[in-house]
Amino acid sequence: MVAVSAATLVACGDTLPADVEDYQSRCVQLNVDPIPPYEGDPHAGFKNVYACDVDEAQLLAGTRPFPEGTLIVKESTKEGQEAPWLVATARKGAGQGVDSWQWDEYTRNFPDEEFRRILAKQSTCTDCHKRVQDADYIFTFLASP
């Protein structure tokens, strides 16, 4: 039992992967204005969504499904704060369907802290994202400025 607990603590301490750290500068922001919070919002705050490692022409065309290797990053900033408190990622693997995505969330309490991965079941994310199955499980499309 002690070994399981130690493994759980280590997983919970994971920081943002290297390919996620610079998402704001290397990825395409899909929304023009921050997406406002709504009742029951699992990512409470104002959100920006980025698409990484996908051809911009595909984003412009609104073509789905995303290719293998696509990384979607959603950041959420609470009202009255300037820095995000949450970064959620969806990483597209091989195949199709909701199980072709790997979902992770990272949070922090203060802007000067590193983001830390939280332990959440994949079903926590997939149960919500199944509502947009026809959009390859991603809610946000590239918006026109």
Side-chain angles (χ1 to χ4, degrees):
M1 187 69 159
V2 173
V4 171
S5 296
T8 300
L9 290 174
V10 170
C12 192
D14 292 347
T15 57
L16 286 177
D19 67 335
V20 177
E21 288 181 2
D22 62 348
Y23 68 90
Q24 291 175 328
S25 62
R26 73 172 191 87
C27 303
V28 177
Q29 185 172 336
L30 298 179
N31 55 300
V32 174
D33 297 316
I35 301 164
Y38 57 90
E39 188 172 332
D41 191 346
H43 301 137
F46 293 86
K47 293 156 289 292
N48 289 310
V49 181
Y50 300 81
C52 315
D53 308 320
V54 61
D55 185 44
E56 194 167 347
Q58 180 175 348
L59 297 174
L60 288 167
T63 305
R64 305 280 171 100
F66 288 102
E68 182 177 344
T70 298
L71 172 66
I72 304 295
V73 179
K74 175 170 42 178
E75 65 180 19
S76 181
T77 303
K78 292 182 180 178
E79 188 167 2
Q81 297 183 357
E82 293 184 24
W85 72 277
L86 174 131
V87 171
T89 63
R91 203 176 284 275
K92 182 72 180 260
Q96 298 299 317
V98 73
D99 293 332
S100 66
W101 291 95
Q102 172 68 40
W103 311 87
D104 288 296
E105 292 187 0
Y106 303 81
T107 62
R108 64 182 177 188
N109 293 315
F110 303 100
D112 61 344
E113 289 182 341
E114 287 191 88
F115 284 97
R116 297 286 178 180
R117 185 170 157 265
I118 62 170
L119 296 176
K121 294 180 180 181
Q122 292 293 292
S123 62
T124 302
C125 303
T126 59
D127 287 352
C128 181
H129 283 263
K130 284 180 180 178
R131 294 184 287 162
V132 289
Q133 176 180 349
D134 292 342
D136 199 18
Y137 306 95
I138 301 299
F139 287 92
T140 310
F141 282 82
L142 182 63
S144 300

